[in-house]
Amino acid sequence: MARKLIVDGVEIEVEDGTTLMHACEAVGAEIPRFCYHERLSIAGNCRMCLVEVEGSPKPIASCAMLVNDLPPNRDGSPKKIFTKSTVAKKAREGVMEFLLLNHPLDCPICDQGGECDLQDQAMAFGMGGSRYEENKRAVEDKYIGPLIKTVMTRCIHCTRCVRYMTEIAGVEELGLIGRGEDAEITTYLEKGILTEMSANAVDLCPVGALTHRPWAHNARPWELKKTESIDVMDAVGSAIRVDTRGREVMRILPRNNDSVNEEWISDKTRHVVDGLKMQRLDRPYVRRNGRLVAATWAEALDAVAQRLKSTIPARIGAIAGDLAGAEEMFALRELMTGLGVMNLDCRQAGEAFDPSAGRAGYLFNATIEGIDVADTILIVGANPRLEAPVLNSRLRRRARQPGVTVALIGEAVDLGYKYQHLGTDPSAITKILQAPAVPAEHPMIIVGSGAVSRSDGAAILGAVAKAALQFGIVKDGWNGFSVLHTAAARVAGLDLGFVPGANGLTAQQMAAGGVDVLFNLGADEIDIAPGPFVIYQGSHGDRGAHRADVILPGAAYTEKSATYINTEGRAQQTVRSVFPPGEAREDWTILRAVSAEIGNPLPFDTLEQLRAKMYAAVPQLAALNTVAAADAKGIEALATKAGVMRDDRFVAPIKDFYLTNPIARASQVMAELSALRHAAAGKTLSAAE
């Protein structure tokens, strides 16, 4: 039912359930607020959003009142609302005066200065002075966690952080204690909050009570150049903003993308920044007399070319890592196929994905937004809390809805919400295939890397696909068969066909010594046995570089424009915010130089030419920021693949959330968080024993 209102003289018609705030904003009125946030429950405790309603004895908090709660006028005329009247203006000035009574007013030294809602709204809606002459109260700073710096005297008790931790992050440890001027935000047990998404609370804080500890006082916001980009710490593809000063990345913040990450990012995404500067490969190296020594680009390229030219194609292999962009994988594939090499693999974890069966067999087909309508969710061999924290927050929000059922096959872990634990090994899948169907309109199966990276991964994937078809999880208008990847590069690699060709070797076979020359494109999560001559191209001196015979320094994701496809099949591009350090180069240019040194130059000289070739070969890479439904026949093909499933328990692919890639392992902040997590786990284990 629609209702008519007159807001500041403009008549408007809004639906029942609309708040007065949104009704006013629909006609362009600016309503200040501190406690209200679109993604949190309504608290209505800051009173900054007061408006005047005709016939009301006092101003009304517009965030907490719905249009259908307004009593009708006796003559049936629409209610009149005033946002700029003297009454509304004086009410807001009074609220602002109260908010500033005990605020320290330390803007010149506050590290939130320039990005502070209180500062902005005091200028826009305040009265320009204070009548308060008493002593201000002071509040002791609290230890909320290793990432959050607190100055609780600044707190205005909007409770955004409390609601975020409880409703989104799933950590019910933060709350408001005391009453009146003794009220304080604190943790219930006076200990730090350690969750994968805690730092988003800082973005929500409208004052400087919560700020980011790792980069406190490092820079002012007006000093920074802002670049919109994409995160690669997992396969979700969260929208981020990279802030830089000179040639240094200073911080990473989230951008809003309702289809992917809404406005949240994980703590690893946000605070991995210092890892972009540490242990960087900034010049080529060549191993001589058993030791890696610095070399010129000409010497390194010559060493690579000599090895590739003197080795038969059957004894050459290439592995692409988890952070590789589509452009460098395409260039490496073209380089290798030009030499006749069939030993290519982007699945360094050993996942049993076969791109020849179709995209539906390795995509999150339901889409990330599809989680919001799923009514029955089965998770197989995954721990989304560690593999994709932002996606897990959506799962948590959905799991809290009435009538929604979540079940898990795998390790019994704390996901932040309740679920039915059906088993720890593949035998639970067999039992499900024998059970009667559960009526559901939008059922979903989420398959994790822990299920398909085993030796029987193909059989497990086939069994899950069979269950999806049997129980109507794949049907007209809905495809709930969803694969949750852990690596940002995986889907693009599969789309590019960066997998073994005819009689080609897998990544595990190559790493075990199946080749004489191995081109390692940033694959740092796989152990390479002694024997092969290893050419490592990457950005950090991590495991791959330690094993290398030649090191070609590449660029990190903030230093290049590269295409990534997230777990749902959405193509997105990073944007270069700074240049690579020292003599490091963008990855595709290195591969182009290698091909020229070999005497078989790749047919492109610019990034635009490379992308034109790549788009012609794989059109979905050109469809940026869109998700096209994959043909469900790929799932039917998977379901026909029979195999024997072992009785081994599923093991989560991520052991340490904070140390999953070379950039994270180079970060001191991530190392500290990892140590704290292990210490907390040890205390929990000791208490249980």
Side-chain angles (χ1 to χ4, degrees):
M1 178 179 174
R3 293 177 182 266
K4 289 185 178 180
L5 300 172
I6 298 176
V7 180
D8 292 336
V10 179
E11 186 171 308
I12 184 175
E13 193 171 286
V14 295
E15 294 294 325
D16 269 358
T18 305
T19 64
L20 291 184
M21 176 184 286
H22 289 124
C24 294
E25 289 180 336
V27 299
E30 183 180 0
I31 307 296
R33 82 288 302 265
F34 291 116
C35 69
Y36 178 80
H37 191 274
E38 290 80 359
R39 305 194 194 278
L40 303 176
S41 60
I42 295 174
N45 54 6
C46 78
R47 320 310 286 181
M48 193 64 203
C49 63
L50 294 174
V51 296
E52 181 185 1
V53 177
E54 184 183 42
S56 174
K58 59 182 180 180
I60 289 176
S62 59
C63 72
M65 178 168 279
L66 306 180
V67 294
N68 39 304
D69 292 333
L70 293 174
N73 290 331
R74 291 183 177 180
D75 59 359
S77 61
K79 274 286 185 183
K80 293 183 180 179
I81 301 174
F82 306 95
T83 67
K84 301 175 184 176
S85 66
T86 303
V87 171
K89 183 173 182 293
K90 288 194 68 175
R92 293 172 187 164
E93 288 178 350
V95 170
M96 180 60 71
E97 189 175 9
F98 274 115
L99 289 176
L100 295 177
L101 288 185
N102 290 306
H103 196 78
L105 305 178
D106 56 348
C107 299
I109 61 167
C110 176
D111 44 333
Q112 190 87 330
E115 294 178 320
C116 176
D117 292 346
L118 182 65
Q119 190 179 52
D120 296 340
Q121 293 188 40
M123 293 294 294
F125 301 99
M127 64 182 295
S130 175
R131 294 168 287 178
Y132 188 69
E133 297 179 355
E134 307 300 322
N135 293 328
K136 292 177 179 284
R137 79 161 189 166
V139 181
E140 182 181 352
D141 293 342
K142 305 296 188 299
Y143 178 74
I144 292 180
L147 299 178
I148 303 175
K149 176 191 171 201
T150 63
V151 184
M152 300 311 293
T153 301
R154 300 171 183 161
C155 180
I156 62 171
H157 304 148
C158 70
T159 68
R160 278 187 183 182
C161 56
V162 176
R163 285 173 283 147
Y164 168 77
M165 289 294 186
T166 302
E167 299 167 14
I168 307 296
V171 182
E172 300 181 6
E173 296 182 7
L174 198 64
L176 181 69
I177 63 171
R179 299 181 65 183
E181 70 172 14
D182 294 325
E184 298 181 21
I185 300 287
T186 183
T187 54
Y188 295 119
L189 302 177
E190 297 187 359
K191 67 176 184 179
I193 296 173
L194 198 61
T195 178
E196 296 76 23
M197 293 181 61
S198 64
N200 290 302
V202 177
D203 293 336
L204 295 175
C205 184
V207 295
L210 305 180
T211 53
H212 294 291
R213 190 184 299 273
W215 66 61
H217 304 294
N218 280 357
R220 290 294 194 179
W222 54 83
E223 300 176 310
L224 304 177
K225 174 188 173 185
K226 302 166 179 63
T227 305
E228 295 185 352
S229 191
I230 299 298
D231 172 52
V232 299
M233 292 296 110
D234 55 33
V236 173
S238 300
I240 60 173
R241 192 187 83 194
V242 182
D243 288 359
T244 59
R245 184 174 61 188
R247 298 194 59 165
E248 184 179 1
V249 176
M250 300 300 294
R251 65 181 185 179
I252 292 175
L253 298 174
R255 285 189 297 120
N256 189 77
N257 186 341
D258 289 340
S259 300
V260 182
N261 62 306
E262 298 180 312
E263 59 188 81
W264 320 122
I265 55 175
S266 71
D267 291 348
K268 180 167 60 178
T269 296
R270 186 188 300 267
H271 289 297
V272 80
V273 170
D274 63 321
L276 292 166
K277 297 174 280 190
M278 305 297 292
Q279 294 193 12
R280 289 303 305 270
L281 298 173
D282 57 358
R283 62 186 306 177
Y285 288 85
V286 176
R287 190 175 296 276
R288 295 181 179 136
N289 300 321
R291 298 186 63 182
L292 285 168
V293 296
T296 64
W297 270 107
E299 292 171 337
L301 292 174
D302 180 65
V304 171
Q306 293 300 325
R307 281 287 181 167
L308 291 176
K309 288 192 293 186
S310 62
T311 308
I312 61 173
R315 301 298 298 175
I316 300 174
I319 303 175
D322 293 348
L323 304 182
E327 285 79 2
E328 51 258 36
M329 284 192 285
F330 176 75
L332 181 56
R333 189 196 75 175
E334 294 297 290
L335 173 64
M336 290 296 159
T337 53
L339 294 172
V341 175
M342 295 294 174
N343 305 317
L344 306 173
D345 206 348
C346 65
R347 307 162 302 179
Q348 64 170 333
E351 300 99 329
F353 297 122
D354 182 6
S356 64
R359 297 186 86 209
Y362 57 84
L363 290 184
F364 201 95
N365 294 287
T367 72
I368 296 173
E369 277 190 302
I371 294 172
D372 296 337
V373 298
D375 43 18
T376 300
I377 303 171
L378 173 63
I379 303 171
V380 180
N383 180 353
R385 179 171 176 176
L386 299 185
E387 296 170 32
V390 174
L391 184 143
N392 191 61
S393 70
R394 252 191 220 258
L395 285 171
R396 182 177 190 276
R397 183 176 65 198
R398 188 58 184 163
R400 297 176 71 200
Q401 300 297 315
V404 177
T405 302
V406 180
L408 171 70
I409 298 176
E411 292 184 78
V413 294
D414 180 12
L415 296 179
Y417 45 88
K418 294 181 180 179
Y419 59 84
Q420 300 176 17
H421 190 223
L422 303 182
T424 59
D425 56 60
S427 64
I429 304 174
T430 305
K431 293 178 182 177
I432 289 175
L433 288 169
Q434 298 169 352
V438 177
E441 187 176 352
H442 295 109
M444 179 188 294
I445 290 184
I446 299 177
V447 188
S449 296
V452 296
S453 58
R454 303 160 32 128
S455 60
D456 59 346
I460 293 172
L461 199 59
V464 174
K466 185 177 179 181
L469 297 173
Q470 180 175 318
F471 297 123
I473 294 172
V474 179
K475 54 188 176 182
D476 291 341
W478 176 255
N479 187 345
F481 181 87
S482 303
V483 175
L484 179 59
H485 291 276
T486 58
R490 195 71 79 245
V491 176
L494 294 169
D495 281 350
L496 286 165
F498 203 98
V499 293
N503 300 317
L505 303 178
T506 65
Q508 281 66 35
Q509 291 170 332
M510 287 185 270
V515 294
D516 294 333
V517 177
L518 180 59
F519 201 111
N520 183 345
L521 184 60
D524 290 274
E525 316 309 318
I526 190 169
D527 294 324
I528 301 173
F533 182 88
V534 178
I535 304 160
Y536 178 78
Q537 180 176 323
S539 60
H540 284 71
D542 203 72
R543 299 170 185 168
H546 295 165
R547 174 61 187 84
D549 294 287
V550 176
I551 294 177
L552 307 176
Y557 69 103
T558 56
E559 300 158 2
K560 61 186 176 184
S561 176
T563 305
Y564 292 86
I565 302 182
N566 76 346
T567 191
E568 62 181 344
R570 182 188 302 271
Q572 304 177 106
Q573 285 183 353
T574 61
V575 178
R576 184 176 65 194
S577 54
V578 292
F579 287 93
E583 299 178 33
R585 301 179 182 177
E586 288 195 43
D587 293 277
W588 75 267
T589 63
I590 297 173
L591 294 161
R592 174 63 178 79
V594 170
S595 69
E597 192 73 19
I598 293 173
N600 186 22
L602 293 170
F604 42 78
D605 296 315
T606 65
L607 183 60
E608 290 72 23
Q609 293 174 354
L610 183 155
R611 283 179 172 162
K613 297 280 186 182
M614 184 174 69
Y615 294 159
V618 186
Q620 58 261 31
L621 283 163
L624 297 177
N625 301 313
T626 60
V627 177
D631 191 346
K633 290 182 179 178
I635 300 173
E636 296 175 5
L638 285 179
T640 61
K641 294 184 177 181
V644 178
M645 296 185 291
R646 305 196 319 265
D647 293 333
D648 301 351
R649 293 186 175 187
F650 288 121
V651 178
I654 294 180
K655 302 299 181 185
D656 192 327
F657 168 74
Y658 299 106
L659 304 177
T660 55
N661 59 62
I663 301 175
R665 286 190 288 270
S667 166
Q668 182 178 350
V669 175
M670 293 298 107
E672 292 173 358
L673 289 171
S674 175
L676 285 170
R677 174 60 61 87
H678 285 300
K683 290 180 181 178
T684 303
L685 182 60
S686 299
E689 292 174 346

